[in-house]
Amino acid sequence: MASAAISRGEILYLYRSLLRTARQFCDYNIREYTKRRTIDAFRQNQNLTDSLAISAAYSDGKTQLDVAKRQAVVYSLYAPTIKSVMEAQSI
């Protein structure tokens, strides 16, 4: 399968979409994990030069975005009623 070169804009859009999806999680721990995992994965792949490797990483990112979106919906249905200690406001 011949794939067209993936533009920098498409990659940045994927990055922002993953971070936007991470903000949708109600649970602090899952929200921060998703955000941290996104940042780490993009940093790990930032020096890729081979177009096949870039396409594979982009495809994996799109798959992860789909999974994160589905999980955000599921987690919103079963959101915890008690906030995490990390989210509690100090008095």
Side-chain angles (χ1 to χ4, degrees), residues 41-58:
F42 275 80
R43 282 189 182 148
Q44 178 183 354
N45 293 322
Q46 73 182 356
N47 295 322
L48 293 178
T49 55
D50 180 34
S51 62
L52 288 176
I54 292 171
S55 292
Y58 182 77

Side-chain angles (χ1 to χ4, degrees), residues 5 8-9 11 16 18-19 23 26 29 43 46 56 58 60 66 71 77 87:
R8 184 176 192 269
I11 293 170
R16 287 190 300 265
L18 282 161
L19 291 178
R23 287 195 308 251
C26 300
N29 291 320
R43 282 189 182 148
Q46 73 182 356
Y58 182 77
D60 184 48
D66 291 340
Q71 286 301 110
L77 296 173
E87 294 176 307

Side-chain angles (χ1 to χ4, degrees), residues 2-89:
S3 63
I6 298 166
S7 71
R8 184 176 192 269
E10 290 174 308
I11 293 170
L12 289 175
Y13 181 77
L14 176 62
Y15 180 72
R16 287 190 300 265
S17 295
L18 282 161
L19 291 178
R20 216 175 292 120
T21 301
R23 287 195 308 251
Q24 294 176 359
F25 285 100
C26 300
D27 186 88
Y28 172 83
N29 291 320
I30 296 173
R31 185 172 54 242
E32 290 301 309
Y33 170 78
T34 306
K35 185 175 123 181
R36 188 175 58 247
R37 179 68 187 103
T38 298
I39 293 168
D40 290 346
F42 275 80
R43 282 189 182 148
Q44 178 183 354
N45 293 322
Q46 73 182 356
N47 295 322
L48 293 178
T49 55
D50 180 34
S51 62
L52 288 176
I54 292 171
S55 292
Y58 182 77
S59 177
D60 184 48
K62 292 286 279 186
T63 302
Q64 293 301 319
L65 177 61
D66 291 340
V67 169
K69 283 181 177 180
R70 282 194 307 270
Q71 286 301 110
V73 170
V74 170
Y75 274 90
S76 71
L77 296 173
Y78 303 101
T81 56
I82 300 173
K83 293 249 184 218
S84 167
V85 172
M86 300 300 289
E87 294 176 307
Q89 297 208 353

